[in-house]
Amino acid sequence: MKLQGRIWILNIVMFVVPILIALVLLLSYFWGLKLLANAGFYYRIETERTLKVVTRVLEPLTFYGLENRDAQYIVDYSYGLFDPKEVYIEVLDKGRVIYRYGDPGIYNSSAIVGLLDVNPELVGIMYQSNETNVYEGRRRTDNHNYVYIFSAKESIGGNNDLLESVSVYIMIVALFVLLLSFYLLNSFVTKFLMIHVKSMTKSLETANKSLETANESLESAYISLEEANHQIEIEQEQQKELLAGISHDIRTPLTAIKAYAEGVRDGIAPTDEQRSRYMEIILKRANDLESMLEELFLITTAEYKEESRPKQKIDLGRFVQVFCEENAPHYKTRGIEIEVNAEKDAFIKVNPQLLQRVIQNVLNNSAKYKTADIGHCVIDVARKNDRIVCMLSDDGPGVPPESLERLMRPFYRVDPSRTNSQKGSGLGLSIIRRIMDVSDGDVAIENVKPHGLRIILEFPMGKVD
């Protein structure tokens, strides 16, 4: 739109400049005549034909000047080009003289005067009388009835130096104005075109940069798509591992339940004591199966959605302290002693039930895989910049470094000491990772020297109301 507007302005300039040049030439012409007239070189009317040309120009100018009260600047200037001793101009309105210039005797000396008065319907007439050229014209309007009289003596052997001087003068001025106008117009057009050439070049550069940016965005999108496809492949592989793990870990308790149930049915346990022992084993395996299904439910369903598990603002240090005090006797019976080092005012926003499940899973793993009669787990809670860090460190066997990344996969077990499905489902750490994702937190695992495993939980710091 800006370019179109400027082109429109350029077209106007190209149209106006020639008009201005013509106007300047016309003004220069009259200005030159006036200078010559002031020096005594008047414009002389030598023939009736010359008078006809002059009156056609001056009659409308005279009426315009008189009607707009500009006689001094237009009318007087125009008639000042003629020698007042050789011409007489008179303008009447309804018989009243409103303007005159020159010698009245020139008109009165004509043998014929006032022809318009003889024929009121006559608009204009030109005649010659007593070596005098006369023009009489009439103009009627709503409020005026003008009579215009222009009479001029015939100039015998008139002076032509004026016309020749004016012609040379006009040619010089016209040439100068033409060259100046051409220079200015050429400069303007060149500058205009250069501005828009630069603008178009800049637009092309911007478009090229936009294309480069778009190309980079496409490359980035392609890389992201490849990463997404790779992630999908990983998740599909994990789903296969999950299904395989589910099939394997569920088969073990189901086989035991089926075998002992068939034993009861087929009378293999004939006594009440044997049947009671069989039923206890069946109940234990059913409980194991129920616990495994509950963990699978947690890891594979929408239980982590915020609307079903609303978050609350809690002091993590206080929460861990209270949980450990209430559950210390239970874990002591399982051979785990707990130590808590917690800073105050370590506020986070999390679902309390899910957070409790995280702590339980870590402590349960410490109890399951401890190598001494009495194991230890130290829980540290501290603020770190804008994060709250909770580290749970035990003195168990630890894991090989190459297994750390895969430790939180469902059903993954590291070594023979952890392949016994009766010790656990292999879902505990995977559940911790899912809960931390829902809580906008991060989880990491590292070995502890000389031996042991540390679970590092990081939460965003919650704002204090």
Side-chain angles (χ1 to χ4, degrees):
M1 291 298 292
K2 289 183 178 180
L3 181 59
Q4 291 179 352
R6 291 175 181 176
I7 291 176
W8 182 75
I9 293 174
L10 180 61
N11 290 332
I12 292 178
V13 170
M14 297 292 289
F15 175 76
V16 170
V17 167
I19 297 177
L20 292 177
I21 293 175
L23 183 60
V24 169
L25 291 176
L26 183 62
L27 293 176
S28 300
Y29 175 77
F30 283 106
W31 182 52
L33 290 177
K34 186 64 176 177
L35 290 177
L36 292 171
N38 292 339
F41 296 93
Y42 294 98
Y43 187 88
R44 288 183 170 81
I45 298 175
E46 302 175 357
T47 64
E48 182 179 339
R49 181 179 178 183
T50 305
L51 178 61
K52 182 183 294 186
V53 174
V54 169
T55 54
R56 284 181 180 178
V57 175
L58 294 182
E59 182 180 13
L61 281 176
T62 301
F63 290 130
Y64 172 81
L66 294 175
E67 289 176 357
N68 291 277
R69 299 181 180 179
D70 292 331
Q72 181 179 357
Y73 302 103
I74 296 178
V75 181
D76 290 345
Y77 182 91
S78 300
Y79 293 119
L81 302 177
F82 302 97
D83 188 347
K85 298 177 182 179
E86 296 183 0
V87 299
Y88 176 70
I89 298 95
E90 183 178 270
V91 182
L92 299 92
D93 184 12
K94 298 178 182 179
R96 182 175 61 88
V97 177
I98 60 174
Y99 180 81
R100 62 161 53 101
Y101 175 83
D103 182 6
I106 296 173
Y107 176 64
N108 294 330
S109 64
S110 300
I112 308 172
V113 293
L115 290 181
L116 291 184
D117 296 334
V118 176
N119 188 355
E121 300 301 324
L122 196 62
V123 175
I125 187 172
M126 184 171 291
Y127 57 92
Q128 189 177 51
S129 175
N130 289 344
E131 298 181 352
T132 302
N133 295 311
V134 180
Y135 168 78
E136 295 183 12
R138 187 193 306 277
R139 179 180 177 185
R140 294 187 178 93
T141 63
D142 294 339
N143 301 319
H144 302 281
N145 185 7
Y146 292 113
V147 173
Y148 175 76
I149 300 171
F150 194 117
S151 56
K153 277 185 178 181
E154 285 189 1
S155 180
I156 301 173
N159 188 357
N160 294 323
D161 293 341
L162 175 63
L163 294 178
E164 293 176 1
S165 301
V166 170
S167 298
V168 174
Y169 166 77
I170 290 177
M171 288 178 63
I172 294 173
V173 173
L175 181 61
F176 173 76
V177 171
L178 184 63
L179 292 175
L180 180 62
S181 300
F182 177 78
Y183 171 77
L184 294 176
L185 189 61
N186 181 66
S187 300
F188 174 78
V189 172
T190 302
K191 185 177 180 180
F192 176 85
L193 293 177
M194 289 303 299
I195 289 174
H196 289 286
V197 167
K198 291 180 180 178
S199 177
M200 292 175 65
T201 303
K202 188 175 181 180
S203 299
L204 289 174
E205 291 176 353
T206 303
N208 186 43
K209 290 181 181 179
S210 299
L211 288 175
E212 291 178 355
T213 303
N215 186 42
E216 292 175 356
S217 299
L218 288 175
E219 291 179 357
S220 177
Y222 177 75
I223 294 173
S224 299
L225 183 60
E226 283 189 334
E227 292 176 351
N229 289 334
H230 180 65
Q231 185 63 31
I232 290 173
E233 291 176 358
I234 293 176
E235 291 179 356
Q236 287 177 344
E237 188 64 29
Q238 290 178 351
Q239 288 177 357
K240 291 179 182 178
E241 293 179 3
L242 177 62
L243 291 175
I246 291 173
S247 176
H248 176 271
D249 281 44
I250 289 180
R251 186 181 295 114
T252 300
L254 282 178
T255 301
I257 291 172
K258 181 179 178 181
Y260 283 102
E262 289 175 349
V264 174
R265 183 195 64 185
D266 296 339
I268 297 176
T271 65
D272 291 341
E273 182 181 353
Q274 288 178 328
R275 284 193 295 272
S276 176
R277 187 169 64 85
Y278 276 32
M279 295 302 294
E280 287 179 0
I281 294 174
I282 291 172
L283 180 60
K284 184 177 183 304
R285 293 293 181 264
N287 288 335
D288 291 343
L289 185 59
E290 181 183 19
S291 177
M292 184 183 302
L293 291 175
E294 180 186 353
E295 290 182 339
L296 286 171
F297 182 74
L298 280 171
I299 202 170
T300 59
T301 65
E303 277 295 308
Y304 301 118
K305 289 185 178 180
E306 190 170 349
E307 57 266 24
S308 60
R309 297 279 188 172
K311 295 179 181 179
Q312 299 178 16
K313 189 178 68 177
I314 63 172
D315 185 341
L316 180 58
R318 177 64 180 165
F319 183 89
V320 172
Q321 187 75 43
V322 171
F323 174 83
C324 292
E325 289 176 358
E326 292 177 350
N327 293 274
H330 167 71
Y331 286 104
K332 191 170 185 178
T333 60
R334 299 183 61 183
I336 286 292
E337 292 183 352
I338 306 172
E339 179 184 345
V340 179
N341 302 311
E343 291 186 11
K344 295 181 180 179
D345 300 328
F347 290 98
I348 63 173
K349 201 168 185 179
V350 70
N351 179 266
Q353 288 77 27
L354 295 180
L355 178 59
Q356 180 175 309
R357 187 58 179 266
V358 170
I359 300 173
Q360 286 175 339
N361 284 7
V362 176
L363 293 177
N364 289 340
N365 279 350
S366 297
K368 289 174 186 176
Y369 303 112
K370 63 185 176 65
T371 55
D373 293 336
I374 301 297
H376 300 85
C377 184
V378 179
I379 304 177
D380 296 294
V381 178
R383 293 190 297 271
K384 185 178 179 181
N385 298 328
D386 58 344
R387 309 281 284 179
I388 303 298
V389 181
C390 178
M391 295 187 295
L392 301 96
S393 310
D394 65 23
D395 53 1
V399 297
E402 64 271 11
S403 299
L404 287 174
E405 291 185 1
R406 294 175 289 177
L407 200 58
M408 285 185 286
R409 292 185 183 180
F411 298 106
Y412 180 79
R413 298 182 180 89
V414 178
D415 52 34
S417 66
R418 297 194 176 204
T419 56
N420 185 357
S421 62
Q422 294 184 7
K423 277 194 172 185
S425 63
L427 295 172
L429 293 177
S430 180
I431 290 174
I432 291 175
R433 186 189 65 181
R434 293 291 182 91
I435 292 176
M436 292 302 294
D437 288 342
V438 171
S439 303
D440 301 323
D442 299 310
V443 57
I445 303 177
E446 63 183 21
N447 284 316
V448 179
K449 293 182 180 181
H451 57 82
L453 199 66
R454 177 178 293 135
I455 310 297
I456 304 172
L457 310 174
E458 288 193 18
F459 300 88
M461 184 180 296
K463 294 182 180 180
V464 180
D465 293 337

